[in-house]
Structure formats: C-alpha cells, structure tokens
Amino acid sequence: MRTPGILIFGLVFSPCGWILDLTSTVAANWRTLNNVAGQSSDTVVNQGIWDICNTFTTSTQVNCNLRSTDTVYFSNQIIPIAQGMMVASLIVTAFGLAFVTPAARCWTNQKPRWVLASMGGLLIFCSGVLTIIPIAWYTHLLPNLNTSTTFINPQNRDIRVGYCIVLGYIGGIMEVLAGIVIFIGICKCCGGRNRGEYPQSRPPRTTTRPDISCDSVLFYFFCH
C-alpha cells in the first residue's frame, strides 16, 4: 500500500514548520529599532526573545550578546512567556513527528497505524498553536514594549517588525495545517479515500457461450 497523501503532506509540512519556528526562536530579530540616539545613523538594533544584536546598514558587521544593555526590554511580560511557548512548541513538534513517522509505515506494505498517526497529528496541531499565540501577542504589543533604548526623535519612534515574526507565523500555520490533515485519518470517510484507500474494481463480466459443434448444426438443419 502506498503512503497516503495526508501523511505525506504532514511529513513534509511539519519539519518545514519546525525549522521556521526554530529560526524564529533563536534569531534576535523579532523587532528592529532605527534612528537610535547615541548610535551612528546606520545602526539598527535587533531585539529578540533571547538576545539583542546591532547591525549596520552600511556593512555586514553584527554585534550580539547585548542583552545586558537593555534589561528593561527583557522585563516585559511577553518575553518569558514567548520563550517558554516557543521552546515548548519545538519539543511538542518533535514528539508529534516521533509518533507520525513510524505510524506511516512508508517502508513496508502494511497499512498505516491511523490511531498513532492521529495522535501525532494532534500534537503537531498543538505545537502550531503554541507558536502562533506568542507571535500574535508580541505583534500586538510590538510598538509599545518597554525598552531602555532611546530614539533621536522620541515622538516618532521607528520600530519595525522583524523577520522572526514572519517566519513564526508561516511555521505555525504550516504545523496547524499539517496536524489537521494528519488527524483527518482517525476516521474513515468517503469510502476510505481520505486514507488513500480505494475500492477494488470489479472484474469484467464474462458471458459464457454454449459450445457449438458441427453435429449440432447438421441436426438443426435436417430436423427443420
């Protein structure tokens, strides 16, 4: 039996979403601060949930490990919550894949273990939700998060969304979709087509004709 399409979909989307979530978790680019006071005009402050880095628009130089320079930012309530939920999402996704991968049975002719696969799909769905919640919450609070960094023009602070927010949204949505699609296999519907099962086609009907011999033909003509 071939691996059902819903399992292939889940086994492709889940690792991709996990990689995007991992990048979003560890990278220091949840938001960027521009036109910072006391810095050169080309300095961009990148703030993440674990670290702060300074980049420069006129060079490729990157200065990280600047967490101690802005303790006010890391005292925001969303930061420790985002740290815990993003790490939990990565762990739950790994557990979900650990359930789905052996349940797929893609290397044998046996049927998939749908109950085990559905449990993995549920875990992957939950991991996507665990990613989207802190990402959405942080995005909502993004322009109002406290920071000790000052701006050249305090009345018009230049705060922008970092690429980690975009990657987090995409990764979380991919995991949610993968989990839903895999979980569909827990019930058999549409004649099993959701599981990649198709009814076997009936063999064509064969009509049997009576054997006609030469003697029977001659008997028919002489008697009639």
Side-chain angles (χ1 to χ4, degrees):
M1 178 181 177
R2 294 181 178 178
T3 304
I6 58 176
L7 293 182
I8 295 176
F9 181 92
L11 289 173
V12 171
F13 268 55
S14 299
C16 292
W18 187 86
I19 293 173
L20 294 177
D21 291 346
L22 177 63
T23 304
S24 178
T25 301
V26 300
N29 198 290
W30 283 53
R31 73 171 187 172
T32 61
L33 311 180
N34 301 272
N35 299 325
V36 178
Q39 300 286 347
S40 60
S41 59
D42 65 336
T43 301
V44 178
V45 178
N46 301 316
Q47 295 180 330
I49 59 176
W50 300 101
D51 197 8
I52 294 177
C53 295
N54 287 347
T55 58
F56 305 90
T57 58
T58 57
S59 68
T60 59
Q61 182 181 356
V62 179
N63 297 329
C64 291
N65 299 321
L66 302 176
R67 180 188 177 104
S68 60
T69 62
D70 195 346
T71 56
V72 175
Y73 168 76
F74 289 97
S75 66
N76 288 285
Q77 181 184 15
I78 182 59
I79 301 300
I81 294 176
Q83 291 174 349
M85 296 187 74
M86 293 299 290
V87 172
S89 173
L90 297 173
I91 296 173
V92 173
T93 303
F95 275 105
L97 289 173
F99 277 94
V100 176
T101 303
R105 295 276 182 172
C106 54
W107 56 88
T108 68
N109 294 324
Q110 300 180 19
K111 293 183 179 180
R113 297 181 178 180
W114 287 109
V115 175
L116 188 62
S118 299
M119 291 176 59
L122 182 60
L123 290 175
I124 293 172
F125 171 82
C126 293
S127 69
V129 174
L130 286 172
T131 296
I132 293 175
I133 289 176
I135 292 289
W137 191 356
Y138 187 99
T139 304
H140 176 69
L141 300 175
L142 186 142
N144 301 317
L145 292 175
N146 297 324
T147 178
S148 60
T149 303
T150 57
F151 296 84
I152 297 176
N153 185 2
Q155 303 300 326
N156 187 19
R157 302 189 303 171
D158 190 356
I159 301 177
R160 305 176 187 178
V161 174
Y163 66 82
C164 289
I165 297 294
V166 179
L167 296 182
Y169 270 123
I170 297 175
I173 292 172
M174 291 179 70
E175 290 179 345
V176 167
L177 291 177
I180 292 175
V181 171
I182 294 174
F183 189 77
I184 292 175
I186 196 172
C187 60
K188 184 176 181 180
C189 57
C190 302
R193 288 182 175 84
N194 65 314
R195 297 182 173 184
E197 299 173 0
Y198 298 93
Q200 295 181 353
S201 57
R202 295 181 178 179
R205 291 185 177 180
T206 56
T207 56
T208 58
R209 296 181 179 178
D211 295 335
I212 302 176
S213 61
C214 295
D215 294 339
S216 60
V217 174
L218 293 174
F219 176 78
Y220 176 82
F221 280 108
F222 281 109
C223 293
H224 294 78

